[in-house]
Amino acid sequence: MSGKADPRTAGEGTTSRTRLERGRGALGPALELVHTGRAPTRAVLTAELGVTRATAGAVAAELEALGLIRVDARPGAAAGSQGRPSHRLEVADDGPVALAAQVHADGFRAALVGLGGRIVATAPGCEVVDADPAKVLGSVVETGAELLRETGRRCVGAGLAVPSAVAEPEGLALNPLHLAWPAGAPVRRIFAEQVRAAGIEGPAFAANDVNLAALAEHRHGAGRGARDLLCVATGHRGVGGALVLDGRLHMGSSGLALEVGHLAVNPEGRPCHCGSRGCLDVEADPLAFLTAAGREPGPEVSLLQQSYDLIRDHYTDPAVRTATEALIDRLGLGLAGLVNILNPDRIILGGLHRALLDADPERLRAVVADRSLWGQSGGVPILPCGLDHNSLVGAAELAWQPVLDDPLGALG
Ligand SMILES: [Zn+2]
């Protein structure tokens, strides 16, 4: 062997190595573009990444080889279009999934979620939520493990959504007020233990349910394209909020930002568990709505479902209509304060708040406009959340994130 490198092959080696490195660095951004629907074709991918066609082609081929996306090299040409259509890019139908879990005041739900925020399979569990988080999380993980066995899919990791602020970096559920869990329960550690015990591969994560809903809506739903996205939503009980800035959740210094449920909207209102009075949490959640409508909440279905049913089936009942308007006014007052402070470019509403918006959009928009400085000048778009089970989809996003950051490192 000669010690002297052939200058031609050395040059070629450098070029192909450089291309490989550049290509590897582009795998994550490319996957995120396909995942969020922003690169439906190879031509768009090439333009979005700012790379050559050859690099984009190699990147797409690598993601396809990892089983993450499907490249359709022979898509049907659009009617009237000229020339050869660009290769279509889609998330793989049979690719890996993330295990998503959600615990709420009335039970839990497990799901398998593929790329693109697609729910592949889901199963609810309705039960009185046990005071021991390990029991509940064991049940929801077992339900998810059963779905994995049924579908035979590869699992990239697991994410959990809880109706509580989750303190970082330890992953503690600080105020699971509507569950019987102890305050400060180490939910991330417990969830990770249950995931490992069930033989499920990959890392495990946990976060607040409305934060996760906002993340999912920003990537796949009504929040797409917003730069300063404010999400306000009710779960089964209480009210939560989240802010997505330039695609990232605003967490605050220790994960506890956007506790919008404790904005006071009715100084004479009912006492709140936070020590204040008349907070959104107790004035604009499903229990507050049912109470305002003079309904005795029954045990048969969740308070959220009873509220939906009431608005859908009995809106002509004056008591229901008055209660709806009262909650819209309280919610609007809270949103007006948030608009002044945060200056969002879009607001999305979930849970009961979405149903209130659907029932009387003009009233809600008028309250926000009349009660806020920035609401008056042109107004902030207020839209309903667009995804089913957005907290679950968001929980899956946590588990997908390492793959989105480095597909080859996570799966190769
Ligand atoms: Zn409060």
Side-chain angles (χ1 to χ4, degrees):
M1 286 228 8
S2 156
K4 235 173 157 185
D6 180 332
R8 284 169 305 164
T9 48
E12 267 172 31
T14 307
T15 307
S16 66
R17 208 163 38 242
T18 307
R19 186 177 290 158
L20 193 72
E21 279 159 11
R22 200 177 291 150
R24 176 160 182 176
L27 282 176
L31 184 59
E32 185 164 335
L33 286 165
V34 178
H35 173 57
T36 53
R38 285 176 292 154
T41 67
R42 205 173 69 180
V44 177
L45 182 70
T46 305
E48 288 284 333
L49 291 176
V51 297
T52 63
R53 261 184 71 178
T55 300
V59 164
E62 182 68 46
L63 292 175
E64 188 172 39
L66 286 169
L68 295 170
I69 73 167
R70 204 170 71 84
V71 181
D72 183 358
R74 307 173 67 93
S81 69
Q82 300 280 314
R84 203 155 58 93
S86 177
H87 294 190
R88 286 204 67 78
L89 307 177
E90 291 171 353
V91 301
D93 281 336
D94 54 355
V97 292
L99 191 164
Q102 180 175 15
V103 177
H104 52 72
D106 299 299
F108 64 76
R109 182 174 282 274
L112 306 182
V113 186
L115 281 171
R118 293 183 186 172
I119 295 178
V120 170
T122 178
C126 272
E127 57 177 48
V128 176
V129 174
D130 197 276
D132 178 2
K135 268 195 177 166
V136 186
L137 297 180
S139 299
V140 67
V141 167
E142 183 44 47
T143 303
E146 184 60 36
L147 295 174
L148 280 170
R149 284 191 288 275
E150 283 166 13
T151 59
R153 298 288 193 104
R154 178 177 182 181
C155 184
V156 298
L160 168 69
V162 290
S164 165
V166 175
E168 300 294 348
E170 305 89 349
L172 312 177
L174 280 196
N175 57 342
L177 293 169
H178 305 293
L179 307 177
W181 292 359
V187 285
R188 183 177 303 140
R189 179 173 61 72
I190 297 170
F191 182 60
E193 286 167 0
Q194 297 296 337
V195 166
R196 266 198 306 279
I200 295 165
E201 286 183 49
F205 304 87
N208 168 263
D209 52 5
V210 178
N211 272 355
L212 294 176
L215 185 64
E217 292 286 344
H218 187 269
R219 292 187 177 176
H220 308 294
R224 281 171 68 168
R227 270 195 44 193
D228 293 74
L229 177 70
L230 173 66
C231 176
V232 175
T234 64
H236 288 233
R237 290 288 307 279
V239 172
L243 186 66
V244 183
L245 300 176
D246 284 327
R248 299 266 160 205
L249 274 171
H250 174 71
M251 303 293 291
S253 59
S254 53
L256 307 177
L258 275 295
E259 274 292 328
V260 306
H262 301 286
L263 273 176
V265 292
N266 181 9
E268 306 304 312
R270 69 194 70 192
C272 179
H273 25 258
C274 73
S276 184
R277 240 175 208 290
C279 296
L280 270 182
D281 215 58
V282 289
E283 297 284 341
D285 86 334
L287 180 61
F289 175 66
L290 293 170
T291 308
R295 297 312 205 260
E296 194 65 49
E300 56 285 346
V301 290
S302 76
L303 300 180
L304 183 60
Q305 191 59 49
Q306 290 178 56
S307 302
Y308 287 152
D309 294 346
L310 206 52
I311 293 180
R312 191 190 58 224
D313 300 334
H314 301 279
Y315 194 60
T316 49
D317 176 339
V320 173
R321 198 175 175 123
T322 304
T324 304
E325 290 174 355
L327 260 78
I328 286 175
D329 292 351
R330 295 175 197 166
L331 173 62
L333 196 56
L335 293 179
L338 291 166
V339 163
N340 287 341
I341 293 166
L342 300 172
N343 183 214
D345 63 345
R346 196 180 307 169
I347 299 171
I348 56 173
L349 301 178
L352 175 62
H353 295 168
R354 177 194 166 144
L356 295 173
L357 174 67
D358 289 342
D360 196 342
E362 290 321 308
R363 188 181 184 97
L364 182 60
R365 291 184 180 122
V367 176
V368 177
D370 292 347
R371 299 295 197 111
S372 65
L373 281 170
W374 312 141
Q376 289 162 18
S377 54
V380 186
I382 304 175
L383 305 174
C385 281
L387 300 174
D388 291 333
H389 303 306
N390 51 17
S391 293
L392 276 170
V393 174
E397 291 295 325
L398 296 181
W400 273 112
Q401 196 59 52
V403 180
L404 294 167
D405 290 341
D406 182 7
L408 206 52
L411 297 177

